[in-house]
Structure formats: structure tokens, C-alpha cells
């Protein structure tokens, strides 16, 4: 099993990146989001999900583990194949997670091959999987004083945890946020705070 490939990017085309690993070029199917992070002739690491069928052996490469996990969640939904999953993730794992957590069908149907019914099924099947951990352990001290009773805050916490942030990072990023704001606004607020801090 391939976990990741790391090497120089020798080919970069829409939907495809070739990574040279010790003289062997691994052709990886990539999202527009991942392709935007890559630069030709620069070293990169892509996390790999393999797809082996009778007539094909494909490698799907992802810039981050978060994007890879979103892809694997998407392809677990009946009716979502690799092509549709890659199209949905074109705008990045953060936007996809936000769309599921806030029930935003429009963002999902913007992807080629995704109709309204399929978008609804994705949201229905994945919302619990992505937002099940709403009771997080905020033991980081004073910064953890976020009103956990707010539904929007709880969903925002779950969405941010899904993106790989720790409870302490989330608590700090949501400090001072309006507890009455929508989930989408809270996630954007927290992401902005983290970007400013980083």
C-alpha cells in the first residue's frame, strides 16, 4: 500500500501531477485545490489513495490528510464516484466541510456531475460522521470559555476539528466570537483568526 509519494513534480496538468520518486514517475490524479499548491520542478509530498479495478489502477494524490479523508468520506456515499468526489473537493477540504456542516447544497451542486438529490444524500450521510464529536475537551484554560450550549458554536467546533485543529487551537480561535452567529460565520471567524496568528 502506498501511503504517500514525495519527490519533484515533473508534470503538472489539469487533474494530473507526476511525482518523480527515485527515477520512477508516479502519475497522481489531483483536485484543482491540490494542483494549486504544487509547482513544477519543486519537491512535493502527496498522500495517496489507491483505486484498483479490473481495468484500471489509479492513484489519487492529496495535498493534506484532511483532503484525503474528505475524499474517502465522499466515496463512501452511494452514487459518489472518484470523479465526482474530486470535483467536489476542487475548492478545498475546508469549503467541503463547511458545506456539509451548514447544509449548503449549492456548493456541492456546483461540482460537475453532482445534482441536488446527490448533494442532499452527501449532507445527510456525512453530517453526523463529520460533526459527531461536538462535545470536545476544552481543557486549555481560560481561552476555553466558549459557550458550548450554542448549537452554532458546537457545529463550528466539530467542523474545525474535522479540519485537523486541536481543541485548544479551536478554543483560542473562537474566543470573542459571537455565540449567536451562524455556523458558517463562526468557522470563517476561526479560520481567519488562525491565519492571522500563523
Amino acid at each position: 500500500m502506498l501511503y504517500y509519494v514525495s519527490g519533484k513534480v515533473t508534470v503538472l496538468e489539469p487533474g494530473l501531477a507526476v511525482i518523480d520518486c527515485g527515477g520512477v514517475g508516479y502519475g497522481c490524479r489531483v483536485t484543482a485545490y491540490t494542483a494549486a499548491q504544487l509547482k513544477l520542478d519543486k519537491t512535493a509530498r502527496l498522500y495517496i489513495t489507491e483505486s484498483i479495478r479490473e481495468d484500471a489502477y489509479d492513484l489519487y494524490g492529496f495535498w493534506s490528510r484532511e483532503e484525503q479523508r474528505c475524499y474517502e468520506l465522499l466515496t463512501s456515499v452511494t452514487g459518489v464516484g472518484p470523479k465526482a468526489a474530486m470535483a467536489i473537493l476542487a475548492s478545498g477540504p475546508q469549503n467541503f466541510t463547511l458545506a456539509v456542516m451548514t447544509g449548503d447544497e449549492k456548493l456541492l451542486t456546483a461540482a460537475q456531475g453532482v445534482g441536488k438529490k446527490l448533494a442532499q444524500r452527501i449532507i445527510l450521510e456525512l453530517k453526523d460522521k463529520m460533526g459527531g464529536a461536538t462535545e470536545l475537551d476544552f481543557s486549555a484554560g481560560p481561552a476555553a470559555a466558549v459557550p458550548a450550549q450554542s448549537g452554532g458554536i458546537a457545529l463550528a467546533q466539530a467542523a474545525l476539528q474535522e479540519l485537523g485543529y486541536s481543541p485548544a487551537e479551536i478554543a483560542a480561535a473562537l474566543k470573542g466570537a459571537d455565540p449567536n452567529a451562524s455556523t458558517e460565520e463562526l468557522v470563517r471567524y476561526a479560520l481567519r483568526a488562525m491565519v492571522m496568528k500563523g
Side-chain angles (χ1 to χ4, degrees):
M1 181 184 85
L2 289 174
Y3 188 80
Y4 66 78
V5 293
S6 181
K8 187 184 285 188
V9 180
T10 56
V11 176
L12 190 55
E13 297 172 356
L16 175 72
V18 177
I19 309 292
D20 185 320
C21 304
V24 178
Y26 288 89
C28 305
R29 297 183 185 278
V30 294
T31 63
Y33 169 80
T34 287
Q37 319 299 319
L38 303 174
K39 287 186 172 61
L40 206 56
D41 295 325
K42 298 289 184 184
T43 300
R45 171 186 288 180
L46 294 181
Y47 294 94
I48 300 296
T49 294
E50 297 171 276
S51 174
I52 302 169
R53 303 188 304 277
E54 276 185 28
D55 58 343
Y57 173 40
D58 292 317
L59 301 178
Y60 292 88
F62 303 95
W63 181 250
S64 66
R65 283 284 294 121
E66 289 76 27
E67 187 189 22
Q68 183 185 42
R69 181 154 189 274
C70 288
Y71 170 84
E72 289 168 354
L73 282 169
L74 269 167
T75 51
S76 73
V77 176
T78 305
V80 180
K83 193 173 180 181
M86 297 296 271
I88 290 168
L89 290 172
S91 60
Q94 294 91 343
N95 286 335
F96 164 67
T97 301
L98 196 58
V100 172
M101 299 304 294
T102 58
D104 184 354
E105 293 173 20
K106 285 183 181 176
L107 194 145
L108 299 177
T109 54
Q112 190 174 357
V114 180
K116 188 173 182 180
K117 283 187 178 177
L118 185 55
Q120 289 171 340
R121 188 185 306 145
I122 290 167
I123 291 167
L124 184 69
E125 289 191 25
L126 297 186
K127 196 163 191 173
D128 286 343
K129 289 182 183 177
M130 299 179 83
T134 51
E135 290 185 26
L136 305 179
D137 175 24
F138 287 90
S139 54
V146 177
Q149 71 275 11
S150 162
I153 288 278
L155 283 174
Q157 290 169 349
L160 291 162
Q161 190 181 47
E162 192 63 35
L163 295 174
Y165 294 106
S166 71
E169 287 174 320
I170 295 167
L174 286 172
K175 188 178 181 184
D178 178 4
N180 298 315
S182 70
T183 303
E184 185 175 351
E185 288 168 340
L186 288 165
V187 171
R188 289 190 194 284
Y189 176 94
L191 290 174
R192 273 198 301 271
M194 289 179 192
V195 168
M196 296 289 284
K197 187 180 177 185

